[in-house]
Amino acid sequence: MSDMAGFRTIASIFLLLAALHTASGENIEVKRVEPDSLVSFLRGRLGQKVYFLRNEMDKATYSVAAGDSESFVSKAMSEFRSKGYTVSSYDGRWFITSDLEIASSLPYGYFSANPDGAGEMSEYTADDALVASFQNRVYEIGDKNDSKTGKACISGFVKNIATGEPVIGASVYNEKNGVYTVTDAYGFYTIMMPLGEGELSYSGYSMEEVTLNLVVNDDGNLDVLMKEHVTSLKEAVVSADRMAIHRNAKMGMEKIRINTLTKVPVAFGEADVLKVVQTLPGVKTVGEASSGFNVRGGSVDQNLILFNEGTIYNPSHMFGIFSAFNTEVINDLELYKSSIPAEFGGRISSVLDIKGREGNANKVQGSLGIGLLTSRFHLEGPFKKGKTTFLIGGRTTYSNWMMKLLPASSGYSGGKAQFFDVNASVTHKFNERNSIQAYGYYSRDKFSFRRDTVFHYSNLNAAVKWRSTFGTGHSVVAAIGYDEYGNTLDNTVNETEAYKYITHIRQAYAKANFKSIIDDRNTLVYGLQSVFYIMSPGTMKPLGEKSFVKEKTLNMENALEMALFAGETWTPNSKFTLDAGVRFSGFVAMNPAKFYCMPEARLSAKYSFLPNLSLKAGFNTMRQYIHLVTNSTSISPMDTWKLSDKDIRPQDGWQASAGMYWSVANNRVDLSLEGYYKQTYNHPDYKSGAILVMNDNIAEDLVPTKAQAYGVEFMVKKPQGKLNGWISYTYSRSLLKEMHDRGAQTINGGAWYPAAYDKPHDLKVVANYKFTHRYSVSMNIDYSTGRPVTVPVGTYDYGGGMRLAYSERNAYRIPDYFRMDLAMSIEPGHNLKKFTHASVTFGVYNVTARKNAYSVYFTTTGGNTVRGYKLSVFACPIPYVNLNLKF
Amino acid sequence: MSFKKYLPIVLYMLAGTSCTYPFTLDEDTFEERLVIEGDILVGGITDVRISNVHPLGGEDVIKKINCDAWVEAEDGTIYSSSESGRKCLIDTRSASPQVRHKLHVLDKIAGEEYVTPWLVVQRKAEIDSLSFQYDEMDDKLKFNISVSADENSQYFRWSFEEDWEYHAYYDSQYEFIPPMEFRDGDDPDYGSIIPRENSIYFCWGHMESFQIMIGTTNNLTHDKLIEHNFYSVPCTSLKLQSLYRLKVSMRTLSKEAYQYWNTIFTNSNDTGDLTAPMPSNIRGNLSSTTETGKYVIGYINASELSMEELYYDNNRYNLFIDKKAYPLLENVDPSLWYKYSRDNNIPISVMTGPSPVFLWAPADCSDCRRYGGNKNKPADWPTDHE
């Protein structure tokens, strides 16, 4: 194998403005002209290739005179320098900028594993064709004297030219051979290319698409810097996201970029990860202000929420009004509803993989967001340029401060409600092949609306990730980390019975995910993961000196979950792709010991009848060893988690799905139709009257249930263009049934009953219209069938008062849900000289003022009257404004 | 644990967006069920009541019920009911706490019998004391109970009767006798005012608890409840105006009975919130002897009864907050007596002199019966007011 050749590229596309000026005789002279005119003169009359970025503050006039062209050009450049411009030249081109020096080549050793390895670098420079020269140049990879035959492996990083950040999820593909890959979380890619001449295209969301002409002689590196696309409003750029759907076999995967996320209107105006996830087909929630979400008929605990590899057990602040994620530090998120890759496991419904950003590698920058209820900030930049970057972010609410302002007569002035979350990460690049990232996240909520009851809950994640590439086409991402979720309740209603209730789940994990490009048709992923759980199901302690509460701690639960996985992507031709994987998971519960293990299958296939028409089918089996113990509709701060043990079996599930994907209107619009059927077993539901807090033998109050869910999801998506967004309609059902007959005690007599999140009809519209680059409006529509509830079927007298007799579980439904939101965004201008760039979003949530039912409930008052109530949490239009400053 | 009440508070605090509206079910959800209530009270009278579930808002169909009930002791003794119908009283004063019992209820119309399993009589726990405590933050009087129990009697349910004496603002000494026919002029007949024979100044109120009040020592270091708050009365309540009495009855529950009551409490008071426990149907311990699995509402517990009472005298503690504004007495010309009377005023007192002048006041602040109470003074009431 020959030494790998290094190629260094810069992508920059310039718009040239041409204007003609005249010169007379041998003496060339211009007098008192504006700089643009001088540049035009240089270009048009003197044939100079000039890139000019005018300083908007430059109001000066220019006068230049010389005897010949060469002198004139020289004097003109001196004149520009005297006015504060930076002038550089390369290969006959002039770069005149107001504050930036244009580098015509990358710094020496920019990507090199060996800074001294000059011999490994093949310098790339722009050639004579000024515009798009980058794409028309032929890049030679490997020594042409090498005698390699067959295929060569090309790998490298794709980065944003402006920030140095990796471009995650960019498509890298060879259209001719149908070879396709995407960049990973580090912007790294590896792809097999046939030897000889060929093309390699790079396409990332909102990035300029690039197609390179290659001559491949051997394995080699090819790093690419991409430039953010300045969207032409009339243009529809074929983005990687759109055509990607026809290139891979994955089904039920939704990817949301941060740009999209910030456009969707939400209550109180703060961009919200979970609220945007809830606009996707197949994702439901039990209420507007509820924690968690339900994917394709699964319960909330069947979603694995990963934030930079760490598990988030409660993804919400303030009962679900806000998500626990600061969007300023997020790059993108992926939701897997169906074809869950073999590298993910441990939950049976979905995986929500939220990837944080790396800090800007070139300069320090940040942002400050000010909303009606919350504020957030972030700061990022290089510690050591090109080597070490940092990113920190934080968010908090001032609701506590607002509560203090409430008058005593409101009855709430003594209450408190507050939250905050902080993120920090440091990334260090040892060399081209090795980098390491340390990451931390902490969020905390505190409520006290009565003097005698205070709630807390918190998430903590810390992780160190190491990424390395080795050999040809091999890479590994290894991580170790620690996650913690805990909640406490301080109850002082009765002084002698005052107590503190504490639960927590702690987990330490280690994982190594490998990826190997076998050849241009086969890609293998494999690895191992293990999680060690330490769970405290509940501790009750006396609170205060007068308390007689008996300190009690339920038995700690410890367990080790391990998994080995391997997955293969086989692409025999451009029409057919098969993803096949197996995950072998094992679980050892301790005290008492119990071992479970099971192989899980992951299978999905794609066949493209046309380049823009594909059919896919998939089959998954999943297993879950950790369960949320709850008898409420949504996640409550009082809920606890339970590990599988000798009494609580793991949850198992399988899902079969099929779908058709069709890109129409010159591939500007994607149509998709997916259907699925899934079954799960051993999902623990609560018995009627169950006691779930401080229960020594909680298994006795839980019953295993069987669930079946099925549905079809139709989606029309227009990712880009002046009008963009999506419309989705879902018909689905989600039913539960107790697995064992307990006679008269069996829930609903052993018959199927709808899950609390069973909402058959679901229509969602997310639309964004750009008037100009700066001004856009967004609309969001959400309609769904009302969720099932258990309601009173009558009243009876008992114990001296009127009581309520209830129906079978979830036998009725609350009224249907409908909501429309509107928002307008004003993005900052492109004045690069400004220190800050402000964007403003304002809008109205629930413009139709529909009084949607958050819940309906019935109470008996005075012992002899029953009253029904509908609680509508956003019963009126909610205007909001959000100011975001970037610096 | 319910967060339902917190969410509107959060949203009120944040943006004033949250609202609660009356809600009625569109669908007819009524399901007919039989309800049997009647703890076996060893050493007392077992009061068995049989009823039906009523529709939520619709028209109730009074179903004819004719039941008989009896308590069977494990030693073979049968305690029969003295009545039948919807209410059966069984004299179990001589029942022994040492043997197990079961309750039988016979629906004579349907010919169906319901029976409990053998029930252990729960060990009696003693009420150590009743006390009250002024909560100045909320301006209410908190009533606390202290209980001594043991490891076999850890679950309790309380019920109470409350009696209170109160008085009107003005003590009316006279009453107006309207004329047969109102006549003005030279020979007027404006009616007459005579001394009042029956005072309407003092009245007594009586209520029985409808709340579900349960407690446990299960989580405590010793089997004692110390000043456990189980009931509160706002200091603005007329109950505290003069003399107030709380008579508390306590019965010890089995753990299962406690869970049953706890579920009823949750179902009736703590529902609707997404983070609150969902309402659930919990089976009682009565089963049909003819139809297995038939759903009957009710859980029968067997226990003895402990009782204690407490008085609050406002003359001593002066915690009552009187928020009512009262009008001044008016001097009324006899020609206006009749009109005044028709306008709900009554004569209070007289200013004597050459020509006596009667002072009148609205009946609402002079007639204690208008505040929900009556003149039925409890037989054992400690004051001599009439």
Side-chain angles (χ1 to χ4, degrees), chain A residues 41-352:
Chain A
F41 182 82
L42 289 167
R43 287 171 180 159
R45 189 67 178 173
L46 302 182
Q48 296 295 307
K49 291 167 182 167
V50 181
Y51 169 75
F52 177 55
L53 189 61
R54 181 174 176 173
N55 180 351
E56 290 187 359
M57 304 303 288
D58 182 9
K59 305 296 181 190
T61 57
Y62 291 69
S63 298
V64 182
D68 55 42
S69 302
E70 192 174 336
S71 301
F72 184 90
V73 171
S74 175
K75 288 185 175 179
M77 295 308 163
S78 298
E79 186 72 7
F80 276 115
R81 286 191 184 97
S82 70
K83 297 288 193 298
Y85 285 93
T86 301
V87 179
S88 50
S89 70
Y90 184 83
D91 199 19
R93 284 190 204 85
W94 296 96
F95 299 92
I96 306 169
T97 57
S98 58
D99 58 350
L100 295 170
E101 184 171 0
I102 298 293
S104 54
S105 65
L106 281 174
Y108 179 70
Y110 184 75
F111 287 124
S112 175
N114 174 14
D116 300 324
E120 295 178 7
M121 291 177 58
S122 294
E123 186 183 24
Y124 161 70
T125 59
D127 64 9
D128 292 340
L130 186 62
V131 178
S133 60
F134 169 75
Q135 299 189 46
N136 294 338
R137 182 187 170 95
V138 176
Y139 304 96
E140 193 168 339
I141 298 175
D143 188 341
K144 58 186 166 193
N145 295 321
D146 284 345
S147 55
K148 184 178 176 72
T149 57
K151 304 283 172 52
C153 180
I154 300 173
S155 57
F157 291 92
V158 180
K159 301 212 170 197
N160 185 317
I161 191 170
T163 65
E165 288 180 49
V167 179
I168 301 171
S171 291
V172 182
Y173 54 97
N174 178 298
E175 196 72 60
K176 187 177 175 185
N177 296 306
V179 186
Y180 166 81
T181 189
V182 292
T183 57
D184 63 14
Y186 303 88
F188 186 77
Y189 73 96
T190 303
I191 194 167
M192 298 299 288
M193 286 284 288
L195 294 178
E197 293 185 7
E199 284 185 351
L200 197 53
S201 298
Y202 299 78
S203 181
Y205 181 83
S206 78
M207 308 302 283
E208 296 276 9
E209 187 170 351
V210 168
T211 299
L212 301 180
N213 296 315
L214 306 181
V215 174
V216 181
N217 300 314
D218 200 347
D219 301 332
N221 281 356
L222 182 58
D223 298 335
V224 177
L225 294 183
M226 297 182 76
K227 185 180 178 186
E228 282 193 46
H229 182 76
V230 179
T231 309
S232 169
L233 298 179
K234 293 179 181 174
E235 181 188 7
V237 177
V238 179
S239 74
D241 291 64
R242 277 194 282 166
M243 295 313 288
I245 201 169
H246 300 290
R247 294 195 181 100
N248 65 56
K250 288 188 174 61
M251 296 183 64
M253 189 188 84
E254 305 287 352
K255 184 170 217 157
I256 295 178
R257 309 284 181 174
I258 195 70
N259 316 43
T260 310
L261 203 149
T262 54
K263 293 286 188 297
V264 178
V266 293
F268 305 119
E270 179 162 319
D272 192 303
V273 169
L274 295 183
K275 295 293 182 287
V276 176
V277 166
Q278 289 162 13
T279 64
L280 298 171
V283 182
K284 298 176 192 295
T285 175
V286 290
E288 278 177 292
S290 62
S291 302
F293 53 89
N294 305 92
V295 178
R296 288 190 171 177
S299 60
V300 290
D301 68 335
Q302 292 173 350
N303 306 316
L304 178 63
I305 301 175
L306 295 174
F307 188 23
N308 283 338
E309 308 289 342
T311 304
I312 302 293
Y313 281 91
N314 189 338
S316 298
H317 288 305
M318 278 194 180
F319 310 111
I321 296 174
F322 301 102
S323 84
F325 307 106
N326 183 349
T327 51
E328 297 295 341
V329 302
I330 292 173
N331 186 77
D332 67 9
L333 56 93
E334 288 176 329
L335 177 70
Y336 299 93
K337 300 182 292 186
S338 175
S339 298
I340 298 176
E343 66 199 77
F344 296 114
R347 302 291 188 278
I348 60 176
S349 269
S350 77
V351 176
L352 177 63

Side-chain angles (χ1 to χ4, degrees), chain B residues 212-260:
Chain B
I212 294 172
M213 294 164 291
I214 50 178
T216 177
T217 58
N218 186 39
N219 299 324
L220 304 182
T221 49
H222 43 58
D223 296 311
K224 272 181 177 294
L225 285 180
I226 298 175
E227 297 193 337
H228 174 91
N229 175 232
F230 67 101
Y231 181 54
S232 299
V233 177
C235 289
T236 52
S237 170
L238 205 59
K239 292 176 182 176
L240 304 181
Q241 187 210 50
S242 298
L243 186 64
Y244 172 81
R245 180 176 69 185
L246 191 66
K247 290 172 83 169
V248 176
S249 303
M250 181 177 80
R251 59 197 78 195
T252 311
L253 302 180
S254 65
K255 184 179 180 182
E256 294 74 22
Y258 176 83
Q259 288 174 351
Y260 188 85

